[in-house]
mmCIF file of all heavy atoms in Angstrom:
data_model
loop_
_atom_site.group_PDB
_atom_site.id
_atom_site.type_symbol
_atom_site.label_atom_id
_atom_site.label_comp_id
_atom_site.label_asym_id
_atom_site.label_seq_id
_atom_site.Cartn_x
_atom_site.Cartn_y
_atom_site.Cartn_z
ATOM 1 N N GLU B 279 -19.831 -19.807 8.299
ATOM 2 C CA GLU B 279 -20.724 -20.077 7.134
ATOM 3 C C GLU B 279 -21.022 -18.725 6.353
ATOM 4 O O GLU B 279 -20.980 -18.626 5.219
ATOM 5 C CB GLU B 279 -22.050 -20.600 7.403
ATOM 6 C CG GLU B 279 -21.993 -21.928 8.141
ATOM 7 C CD GLU B 279 -21.850 -21.969 9.545
ATOM 8 O OE1 GLU B 279 -22.865 -21.682 10.289
ATOM 9 O OE2 GLU B 279 -20.776 -21.904 10.127
ATOM 10 N N ASP B 280 -21.074 -17.628 7.203
ATOM 11 C CA ASP B 280 -21.399 -16.264 6.571
ATOM 12 C C ASP B 280 -20.116 -15.856 5.785
ATOM 13 O O ASP B 280 -20.374 -15.191 4.721
ATOM 14 C CB ASP B 280 -21.700 -15.291 7.595
ATOM 15 C CG ASP B 280 -23.101 -15.701 8.233
ATOM 16 O OD1 ASP B 280 -23.723 -16.552 7.691
ATOM 17 O OD2 ASP B 280 -23.434 -15.123 9.406
ATOM 18 N N LEU B 281 -18.984 -16.061 6.426
ATOM 19 C CA LEU B 281 -17.736 -15.659 5.733
ATOM 20 C C LEU B 281 -17.678 -16.420 4.391
ATOM 21 O O LEU B 281 -17.338 -15.909 3.317
ATOM 22 C CB LEU B 281 -16.548 -16.006 6.492
ATOM 23 C CG LEU B 281 -16.387 -15.114 7.900
ATOM 24 C CD1 LEU B 281 -15.066 -15.706 8.611
ATOM 25 C CD2 LEU B 281 -16.308 -13.711 7.580
ATOM 26 N N GLU B 282 -17.989 -17.802 4.506
ATOM 27 C CA GLU B 282 -17.753 -18.440 3.192
ATOM 28 C C GLU B 282 -18.812 -18.061 2.221
ATOM 29 O O GLU B 282 -18.572 -17.842 0.979
ATOM 30 C CB GLU B 282 -18.069 -19.962 3.586
ATOM 31 C CG GLU B 282 -16.769 -20.631 4.272
ATOM 32 C CD GLU B 282 -16.879 -22.060 4.494
ATOM 33 O OE1 GLU B 282 -17.918 -22.577 4.125
ATOM 34 O OE2 GLU B 282 -15.919 -22.627 4.904
ATOM 35 N N ALA B 283 -20.065 -17.850 2.721
ATOM 36 C CA ALA B 283 -21.075 -17.369 1.721
ATOM 37 C C ALA B 283 -20.651 -15.985 1.093
ATOM 38 O O ALA B 283 -20.852 -15.828 -0.240
ATOM 39 C CB ALA B 283 -22.355 -17.219 2.409
ATOM 40 N N SER B 284 -20.119 -15.075 1.852
ATOM 41 C CA SER B 284 -19.739 -13.718 1.336
ATOM 42 C C SER B 284 -18.561 -13.882 0.374
ATOM 43 O O SER B 284 -18.497 -13.229 -0.652
ATOM 44 C CB SER B 284 -19.506 -12.817 2.339
ATOM 45 O OG SER B 284 -18.556 -13.245 3.313
ATOM 46 N N ALA B 285 -17.655 -14.782 0.693
ATOM 47 C CA ALA B 285 -16.486 -15.043 -0.108
ATOM 48 C C ALA B 285 -16.966 -15.583 -1.568
ATOM 49 O O ALA B 285 -16.616 -15.150 -2.548
ATOM 50 C CB ALA B 285 -15.564 -16.024 0.563
ATOM 51 N N ARG B 286 -17.913 -16.473 -1.418
ATOM 52 C CA ARG B 286 -18.429 -17.073 -2.712
ATOM 53 C C ARG B 286 -19.159 -16.022 -3.527
ATOM 54 O O ARG B 286 -18.863 -15.968 -4.735
ATOM 55 C CB ARG B 286 -19.590 -18.202 -2.364
ATOM 56 C CG ARG B 286 -18.929 -19.501 -2.152
ATOM 57 C CD ARG B 286 -20.111 -20.584 -1.930
ATOM 58 N NE ARG B 286 -19.488 -21.823 -1.357
ATOM 59 C CZ ARG B 286 -19.041 -22.702 -2.049
ATOM 60 N NH1 ARG B 286 -18.857 -22.574 -3.396
ATOM 61 N NH2 ARG B 286 -18.563 -23.787 -1.572
ATOM 62 N N ARG B 287 -19.858 -15.167 -2.820
ATOM 63 C CA ARG B 287 -20.650 -14.081 -3.546
ATOM 64 C C ARG B 287 -19.635 -13.102 -4.241
ATOM 65 O O ARG B 287 -19.811 -12.803 -5.371
ATOM 66 C CB ARG B 287 -21.415 -13.323 -2.641
ATOM 67 C CG ARG B 287 -22.934 -13.647 -2.898
ATOM 68 C CD ARG B 287 -23.844 -12.866 -1.870
ATOM 69 N NE ARG B 287 -23.925 -11.406 -2.265
ATOM 70 C CZ ARG B 287 -24.607 -10.551 -1.552
ATOM 71 N NH1 ARG B 287 -25.054 -10.987 -0.329
ATOM 72 N NH2 ARG B 287 -24.763 -9.375 -1.808
ATOM 73 N N THR B 288 -18.637 -12.638 -3.517
ATOM 74 C CA THR B 288 -17.671 -11.770 -4.106
ATOM 75 C C THR B 288 -16.905 -12.351 -5.150
ATOM 76 O O THR B 288 -16.664 -11.887 -6.246
ATOM 77 C CB THR B 288 -16.727 -11.180 -3.078
ATOM 78 O OG1 THR B 288 -16.288 -12.178 -2.204
ATOM 79 C CG2 THR B 288 -17.489 -10.144 -2.218
ATOM 80 N N LEU B 289 -16.509 -13.696 -4.989
ATOM 81 C CA LEU B 289 -15.765 -14.393 -5.977
ATOM 82 C C LEU B 289 -16.619 -14.584 -7.270
ATOM 83 O O LEU B 289 -16.163 -14.512 -8.348
ATOM 84 C CB LEU B 289 -15.213 -15.709 -5.457
ATOM 85 C CG LEU B 289 -14.007 -15.580 -4.574
ATOM 86 C CD1 LEU B 289 -13.691 -16.929 -3.857
ATOM 87 C CD2 LEU B 289 -12.811 -15.088 -5.152
ATOM 88 N N GLY B 290 -17.925 -14.911 -7.029
ATOM 89 C CA GLY B 290 -18.716 -15.045 -8.127
ATOM 90 C C GLY B 290 -18.825 -13.746 -9.006
ATOM 91 O O GLY B 290 -18.790 -13.852 -10.192
ATOM 92 N N ALA B 291 -18.968 -12.567 -8.351
ATOM 93 C CA ALA B 291 -19.054 -11.410 -8.891
ATOM 94 C C ALA B 291 -17.790 -11.099 -9.834
ATOM 95 O O ALA B 291 -17.860 -10.687 -10.876
ATOM 96 C CB ALA B 291 -19.355 -10.292 -8.029
ATOM 97 N N LEU B 292 -16.673 -11.454 -9.143
ATOM 98 C CA LEU B 292 -15.360 -11.281 -9.694
ATOM 99 C C LEU B 292 -15.195 -11.975 -11.001
ATOM 100 O O LEU B 292 -14.813 -11.606 -12.130
ATOM 101 C CB LEU B 292 -14.304 -11.592 -8.781
ATOM 102 C CG LEU B 292 -12.821 -11.253 -9.217
ATOM 103 C CD1 LEU B 292 -12.590 -9.769 -9.159
ATOM 104 C CD2 LEU B 292 -11.813 -11.853 -8.357
ATOM 105 N N CYS B 293 -15.632 -13.351 -10.948
ATOM 106 C CA CYS B 293 -15.557 -14.263 -11.987
ATOM 107 C C CYS B 293 -16.537 -13.778 -13.207
ATOM 108 O O CYS B 293 -16.091 -14.001 -14.343
ATOM 109 C CB CYS B 293 -15.860 -15.710 -11.713
ATOM 110 S SG CYS B 293 -14.448 -16.265 -10.675
ATOM 111 N N ARG B 294 -17.726 -13.280 -12.750
ATOM 112 C CA ARG B 294 -18.546 -12.866 -13.916
ATOM 113 C C ARG B 294 -17.994 -11.682 -14.604
ATOM 114 O O ARG B 294 -18.050 -11.548 -15.883
ATOM 115 C CB ARG B 294 -19.952 -12.442 -13.322
ATOM 116 C CG ARG B 294 -20.749 -13.667 -13.024
ATOM 117 C CD ARG B 294 -22.325 -13.158 -12.789
ATOM 118 N NE ARG B 294 -22.423 -12.377 -11.494
ATOM 119 C CZ ARG B 294 -22.377 -12.881 -10.332
ATOM 120 N NH1 ARG B 294 -22.318 -14.163 -10.090
ATOM 121 N NH2 ARG B 294 -22.550 -12.071 -9.286
ATOM 122 N N ARG B 295 -17.127 -10.801 -13.907
ATOM 123 C CA ARG B 295 -16.574 -9.674 -14.549
ATOM 124 C C ARG B 295 -15.440 -10.228 -15.476
ATOM 125 O O ARG B 295 -15.226 -9.778 -16.551
ATOM 126 C CB ARG B 295 -16.034 -8.742 -13.544
ATOM 127 C CG ARG B 295 -16.954 -7.465 -13.479
ATOM 128 C CD ARG B 295 -16.250 -6.430 -12.644
ATOM 129 N NE ARG B 295 -15.176 -5.795 -13.333
ATOM 130 C CZ ARG B 295 -14.308 -5.026 -12.807
ATOM 131 N NH1 ARG B 295 -14.249 -4.930 -11.309
ATOM 132 N NH2 ARG B 295 -13.392 -4.403 -13.434
ATOM 133 N N LEU B 296 -14.712 -11.241 -14.950
ATOM 134 C CA LEU B 296 -13.566 -11.819 -15.663
ATOM 135 C C LEU B 296 -14.084 -12.349 -17.019
ATOM 136 O O LEU B 296 -13.461 -12.244 -18.062
ATOM 137 C CB LEU B 296 -12.909 -12.761 -14.923
ATOM 138 C CG LEU B 296 -11.998 -12.267 -13.717
ATOM 139 C CD1 LEU B 296 -11.488 -13.477 -12.906
ATOM 140 C CD2 LEU B 296 -10.830 -11.387 -14.176
ATOM 141 N N GLU B 297 -15.304 -13.045 -16.891
ATOM 142 C CA GLU B 297 -15.866 -13.629 -18.048
ATOM 143 C C GLU B 297 -16.287 -12.591 -19.069
ATOM 144 O O GLU B 297 -16.020 -12.713 -20.238
ATOM 145 C CB GLU B 297 -17.130 -14.291 -17.443
ATOM 146 C CG GLU B 297 -18.032 -14.857 -18.620
ATOM 147 C CD GLU B 297 -17.789 -16.456 -18.711
ATOM 148 O OE1 GLU B 297 -17.812 -17.111 -17.675
ATOM 149 O OE2 GLU B 297 -17.380 -16.872 -19.810
ATOM 150 N N ARG B 298 -16.946 -11.476 -18.579
ATOM 151 C CA ARG B 298 -17.241 -10.472 -19.618
ATOM 152 C C ARG B 298 -16.027 -9.865 -20.256
ATOM 153 O O ARG B 298 -16.018 -9.557 -21.406
ATOM 154 C CB ARG B 298 -17.988 -9.285 -18.763
ATOM 155 C CG ARG B 298 -19.467 -9.583 -18.641
ATOM 156 C CD ARG B 298 -20.172 -8.225 -18.296
ATOM 157 N NE ARG B 298 -19.609 -7.500 -17.175
ATOM 158 C CZ ARG B 298 -19.982 -7.655 -15.854
ATOM 159 N NH1 ARG B 298 -20.725 -8.675 -15.583
ATOM 160 N NH2 ARG B 298 -19.482 -6.904 -14.912
ATOM 161 N N GLU B 299 -14.907 -9.814 -19.527
ATOM 162 C CA GLU B 299 -13.635 -9.117 -20.059
ATOM 163 C C GLU B 299 -12.838 -10.149 -20.671
ATOM 164 O O GLU B 299 -11.699 -9.746 -21.134
ATOM 165 C CB GLU B 299 -12.916 -8.419 -18.902
ATOM 166 C CG GLU B 299 -13.885 -7.450 -18.014
ATOM 167 C CD GLU B 299 -13.615 -6.011 -18.328
ATOM 168 O OE1 GLU B 299 -12.578 -5.803 -19.055
ATOM 169 O OE2 GLU B 299 -14.531 -5.233 -18.030
ATOM 170 N N GLN B 300 -13.252 -11.369 -20.750
ATOM 171 C CA GLN B 300 -12.395 -12.377 -21.366
ATOM 172 C C GLN B 300 -11.057 -12.494 -20.746
ATOM 173 O O GLN B 300 -10.049 -12.539 -21.418
ATOM 174 C CB GLN B 300 -12.182 -12.008 -22.930
ATOM 175 C CG GLN B 300 -13.521 -12.275 -23.602
ATOM 176 C CD GLN B 300 -14.008 -13.785 -23.646
ATOM 177 O OE1 GLN B 300 -13.155 -14.682 -24.179
ATOM 178 N NE2 GLN B 300 -15.075 -14.104 -23.082
ATOM 179 N N ALA B 301 -11.063 -12.438 -19.394
ATOM 180 C CA ALA B 301 -9.723 -12.550 -18.739
ATOM 181 C C ALA B 301 -9.901 -13.668 -17.733
ATOM 182 O O ALA B 301 -10.924 -14.243 -17.474
ATOM 183 C CB ALA B 301 -9.448 -11.207 -17.972
ATOM 184 N N GLY B 302 -8.826 -14.116 -17.210
ATOM 185 C CA GLY B 302 -8.633 -15.096 -16.201
ATOM 186 C C GLY B 302 -7.666 -14.831 -15.114
ATOM 187 O O GLY B 302 -6.720 -14.039 -15.390
ATOM 188 N N ALA B 303 -8.037 -15.236 -13.900
ATOM 189 C CA ALA B 303 -7.122 -14.914 -12.779
ATOM 190 C C ALA B 303 -6.124 -15.803 -12.531
ATOM 191 O O ALA B 303 -6.269 -17.113 -12.657
ATOM 192 C CB ALA B 303 -7.853 -14.789 -11.501
ATOM 193 N N ARG B 304 -4.815 -15.494 -12.244
ATOM 194 C CA ARG B 304 -3.741 -16.330 -11.894
ATOM 195 C C ARG B 304 -3.478 -16.182 -10.342
ATOM 196 O O ARG B 304 -2.945 -17.147 -9.798
ATOM 197 C CB ARG B 304 -2.421 -15.896 -12.727
ATOM 198 C CG ARG B 304 -2.575 -16.060 -14.118
ATOM 199 C CD ARG B 304 -2.467 -17.471 -14.525
ATOM 200 N NE ARG B 304 -1.260 -18.207 -14.039
ATOM 201 C CZ ARG B 304 -0.077 -18.150 -14.548
ATOM 202 N NH1 ARG B 304 0.021 -17.456 -15.648
ATOM 203 N NH2 ARG B 304 0.890 -18.660 -14.097
#
Side-chain angles (χ1 to χ4, degrees):
Chain B
E279 300 90 84
D280 293 344
L281 293 182
E282 288 184 354
S284 55
R286 276 184 191 280
R287 253 179 75 188
T288 47
L289 287 171
L292 187 71
C293 288
R294 280 194 297 281
R295 258 190 74 195
L296 292 171
E297 177 98 51
R298 277 202 303 277
E299 311 256 341
Q300 289 294 300
R304 296 287 305 276

